[in-house]
Amino acid sequence: MKNYNHKEIEEKWQKKWEEDKIYEVKNPSNSSGQEKQKFYGLIEFPYPSGDGMHTGHLRSNTAMDIICRKRRMQGFNVLYPIGWDAFGLPTENYAIKMGLDPAVVTKQNTDNFRKQLKSAGFSFDWSREINTTDPQYYKWTQWIFLQFFKNNLAYKKKMTINWCPSCKIGLANEEVVDSKCERCGTSVEKKEKEQWMLAITKYAERLDKDLDEVDYLDRIKIQQRNWIGKSEGSEIEFKLVGARLPQEPGSLKVFTTRADTLLGATYVVLAPEHELIEKLKPEITNWDDIVNYIAQTKNKTEIQRTTNTSTGSVQVKTGVELKGVKVINPANNEELPIWIADYVLASYGTGAIMAVPAHDERDSEFAKKYNLPIKEIEVNDTEEGRKKMTETVGGKMVTTFKLRDWIFSRQRYWGEPIPMINCIKCGWVPVPEESLPVILPEVENYKATDTGESPLSKIDSWVNTKCPKCKGSAKRETDTMPNWAGSSWYYLRYIDPNNDQMLADIEKLKYWTPVNWYNGGMEHTTLHLLYSRFWHKFLFDIGVVPTSEPYQKRTSHGFILAENGEKMSKSRGNVVNPDQIIETYGADTLRVYEMFAAPFEQEFSWKTESIIGPRRFIEKIWKLKDKISDVPVENNLEKKVHQAIKKIGDDIETMSFNTSISHMMILANEMEKAEKINQSLYELFLKILCPFAPHVTEELWYELGHTKSIHTDTWPAYYENKIKDEKVKMVVQVNGKIRTLMEVESNMEEQEITKKALKNKDIIKWVEDKDIKKTIFVKNKLINFVVE
RNA sequence: GCCCGAGUGGUGGAACUGGUAUACACGCACGACUUAAAAUCGUGUCUCGUAAGGGAUGUGGGUUCGAUUCCCACCUCGGGCACCA
């Protein structure tokens, strides 16, 4: 037989599969009652960067490709789609630098990515390819935004935002890492800006609770739950008192999770932004100090307030007393002083706390610094204790969340225009749905402005428009959406990618949703994954999608690091290009290597030296074909094949791809020892290998005389009676130490084994002259004599 | 500080619900083939010991006939959160 030529084989079959459309999936026909069961496998669609893909990108795709190929052979109607998450800063920045249109750059990059993905032999249904920058796609992204607006979940708010002076862009909290811009590393500043917000906090409770219903890895659930930050506590009112306060003084509401410590409260603290401060101005005797302090904190972002950026540690606490007013502790009527301090956050709870220095480290630190009293008390830190105290003082139990509303405006060009129009008379008016999409206009200069306005603001002809309501002159919103927008619903569009009436047909959605299995990176757990769950729940509420959760199951892959253990990146110059690996070793080898190198969930360092192992394995499979002859099926080999069918089938379900491959290597070594191999056994081997190495198995399959693709054939079944061993190796121990092994018939009982073992010379020498006090017997595994 | 996860040969790693620790692969050494090299194939490869046997799964304890696996404490590394009251 000719030599294994990966290049020829892989190009040939990739072309043939595309011509035969074997991975294109049909929607169910409405007429027939009996439909194939569906399987929707999903990977995060790539951001087509100018650097091209690196080998790390292929890991998730390969894993899901294996799963989808197995499902197809198991008879499922499999949807495994692909597209491009193409809006975003790197493309815009690159386009600016090179003086190009971002749309042109995107086209180049997606062409390159497509070519790379095709060369790896993934079974994507390319007929459903989508692109978030396509107006026919973002029309529906804009449409969803309008629905949010109409349901009062999108609103404009003047707020201090995290501002990156280098990217000239407002950042969400999630995009700020160590008080630096996630993308460029510049220190984030504070800026006041009117921003569109999405009220994700209204869904906080459900986003937390419904995690119970989905099959996500525990660490993913835990991380989302921590991010949502649900916490049960109490709101308690403290009455205000002051020399000059009127008869009916106001009160101050604090939030606490430890109502039971109320008797230990020695002061209360307001966030510097708390609205009460201004109202109390006439009573306050040190107003200048207060104004000074507030001014100081105003210049800091929340991150600067909370974290010392140079040490990474928590800031030293500062504060100032509000002199002239006091509050009454409702539990014991004691008068307590009021302070303002920026260690209390305005955006959480009520923006005010009761300080219990004896039971809270932060309060303790603050009390010591400002010589405030510390009062030791008896506490009852149980649900009952907290409830009881809350009731006694007329407070109420409340639930709070750490989750904040989502800042949805970006002052950049390369994103979806937010479809809103500002009219002096009517205020914010949505663009009528029939006028969608609001097309992103071409601009001469894509550079962001120093004032923080989007580049779109400079195009008068686009900005100036008519109010859809009163027809008076009005202006378009010039901010664009963040790149999390298009990715929040893309999995729905694959189901019906060309629909121009709605984002996807409800009947098709009923068949295909939810996504059965979604694999992606841990870094998206609190961003994309949470955002898309939020959008999906909203779409469910307005009747657009039929399920309340988008993804039934979520798993996660470990990153592939460069050989030196660092993250792969172009700037570090340590990127391994898959094109070269595929050229030299072939896509099948690359796929097997990536799956074999380490457990799927774990990160690992790329090692080109080690690829030779998987390559030798594939060549071994290739050569085994020469051993095929019409010899009868050999029992031992048949058993090994059936054991492998079971093992590989199970391993794919748990994503234990590394052990699948080692097991197939063992089987290949076993076959190599055989003189001749019956063709049926070899074919079974090809079938369990084909999801991993689709090209070489297809070639061999056809060589064996088949005329239809192995990938449209059936997944083999194993038979329990064929995988059972008739003989087993029993471990014989004395006092827990292994003294010998005995090969015996399987299922032999204790009595017989004991008799046999005690005749064994390796055992006799350890047990003679001793009392056997106890015998431990595990069927088919071991026998252990405990002697005195 | 809090919440996840991980520590096993020279290297990546395996070991099912407590039952032969180091499978599979890389590397290395030796051998075969070759004029030679590459490729390929074969043998060996945790450690001490001539052997019988002993010791090793980050460290120290515990439970058990038996622990990489379960429990407690600690150390190191990776990830997430971080003044959320």
Side-chain angles (χ1 to χ4, degrees), chain A residues 235 253-256 345-353 398-401:
Chain A
E235 277 181 11
K253 211 182 260 176
V254 304
F255 174 77
T256 179
L345 307 175
S347 49
Y348 183 77
T350 59
I353 61 151
V398 291
T399 304
T400 58
F401 296 90

Side-chain angles (χ1 to χ4, degrees), chain A residues 176-189:
Chain A
V176 180
V177 176
D178 269 352
S179 78
K180 293 193 172 87
C181 172
E182 182 190 46
R183 293 225 183 256
C184 73
T186 308
S187 280
V188 168
E189 293 173 2

Side-chain angles (χ1 to χ4, degrees), chain A residues 11 42 83 279 359 459 609 750 753 781:
Chain A
E11 279 169 11
L42 184 69
K279 285 184 191 158
H359 290 278
I459 314 170
E609 187 184 61
E750 176 169 357
I753 298 275
K781 285 233 167 92

Side-chain angles (χ1 to χ4, degrees), chain A residues 220-461:
Chain A
I220 296 175
K221 286 193 186 184
I222 290 167
Q223 211 169 299
Q224 279 211 355
R225 285 216 156 98
N226 288 346
W227 185 263
I228 294 166
K230 182 175 174 173
S231 142
E232 311 274 358
S234 324
E235 277 181 11
I236 295 172
E237 279 194 41
F238 284 63
K239 289 219 166 65
L240 286 159
V241 285
R244 297 179 294 168
L245 277 173
Q247 285 296 48
E248 282 287 332
S251 65
L252 165 61
K253 211 182 260 176
V254 304
F255 174 77
T256 179
T257 53
R258 290 293 306 277
D260 61 298
T261 65
L262 182 53
L263 285 165
T266 55
Y267 61 104
V268 298
V269 191
L270 303 180
E273 299 89 340
H274 202 288
E275 52 176 24
L276 198 64
I277 299 168
E278 189 64 37
K279 285 184 191 158
L280 292 175
K281 184 178 171 183
E283 320 305 327
I284 293 168
T285 56
N286 59 339
W287 186 248
D288 286 352
D289 296 345
I290 303 299
V291 171
N292 269 338
Y293 185 76
I294 293 172
Q296 270 174 42
T297 58
K298 252 199 168 160
N299 285 326
K300 299 185 218 162
T301 63
E302 193 163 276
I303 295 146
Q304 286 166 339
R305 271 170 58 174
T306 55
T307 316
N308 184 328
T309 48
S310 56
T311 62
S313 59
V314 165
Q315 278 291 7
V316 173
K317 292 172 185 47
T318 58
V320 50
E321 189 181 351
L322 276 185
K323 290 186 176 149
V325 279
K326 302 246 180 211
V327 289
I328 303 284
N329 183 340
N332 57 12
N333 293 323
E334 254 177 50
E335 264 193 14
L336 303 179
I338 307 173
W339 285 68
I340 62 171
D342 65 6
Y343 81 91
V344 173
L345 307 175
S347 49
Y348 183 77
T350 59
I353 61 151
M354 62 178 205
V356 186
H359 290 278
D360 185 284
E361 268 185 53
R362 296 153 302 184
D363 297 343
S364 163
E365 184 196 327
F366 191 79
K368 280 178 190 150
K369 181 170 172 185
Y370 292 102
N371 282 320
L372 290 154
I374 298 169
K375 197 173 154 193
E376 297 289 342
I377 47 144
E378 286 278 304
V379 298
N380 180 11
D381 187 9
T382 60
E383 201 186 329
E384 201 198 327
R386 294 188 292 264
K387 246 184 193 158
K388 208 169 150 193
M389 180 59 88
T390 306
E391 277 166 26
T392 309
V393 298
K396 65 170 185 191
M397 301 302 292
V398 291
T399 304
T400 58
F401 296 90
K402 290 183 194 173
L403 189 68
R404 313 279 174 85
D405 277 347
W406 175 5
I407 304 168
F408 201 66
S409 299
R410 296 298 125 96
Q411 294 72 46
R412 296 297 298 208
Y413 172 75
W414 196 229
E416 301 88 344
I418 295 175
M420 297 295 293
I421 291 167
N422 194 6
C423 169
I424 305 158
K425 262 200 267 173
C426 313
W428 283 106
V429 180
V431 171
E433 287 178 20
E434 58 275 16
S435 306
L436 296 181
V438 176
I439 303 246
L440 190 58
E442 285 192 30
V443 190
E444 292 277 309
N445 185 355
Y446 302 103
K447 275 185 193 152
T449 60
D450 289 330
T451 58
E453 294 300 314
S454 156
L456 292 177
S457 65
K458 285 181 282 185
I459 314 170
D460 291 341
S461 61

Side-chain angles (χ1 to χ4, degrees), chain A residues 496-520:
Chain A
D496 199 4
N498 301 312
N499 196 324
D500 58 4
Q501 299 301 307
M502 54 192 93
L503 61 83
D505 177 75
I506 188 74
E507 290 305 317
K508 290 176 185 165
L509 288 169
K510 276 183 187 160
Y511 177 73
W512 285 112
T513 58
V515 171
N516 295 84
W517 195 332
Y518 189 18
N519 187 76

Side-chain angles (χ1 to χ4, degrees), chain A residues 45-54 57 84-92 94 105-114 116 183 569-570 575:
Chain A
F45 61 163
Y47 175 75
S49 74
D51 304 349
M53 285 200 296
H54 58 69
H57 288 116
W84 316 107
D85 186 15
F87 275 129
L89 266 180
T91 301
E92 181 170 347
Y94 178 79
V105 175
T106 297
K107 171 81 169 56
Q108 286 169 2
N109 292 349
T110 52
D111 285 349
N112 183 36
F113 265 63
R114 190 182 300 106
Q116 291 187 302
R183 293 225 183 256
S569 73
K570 204 186 181 185
V575 169

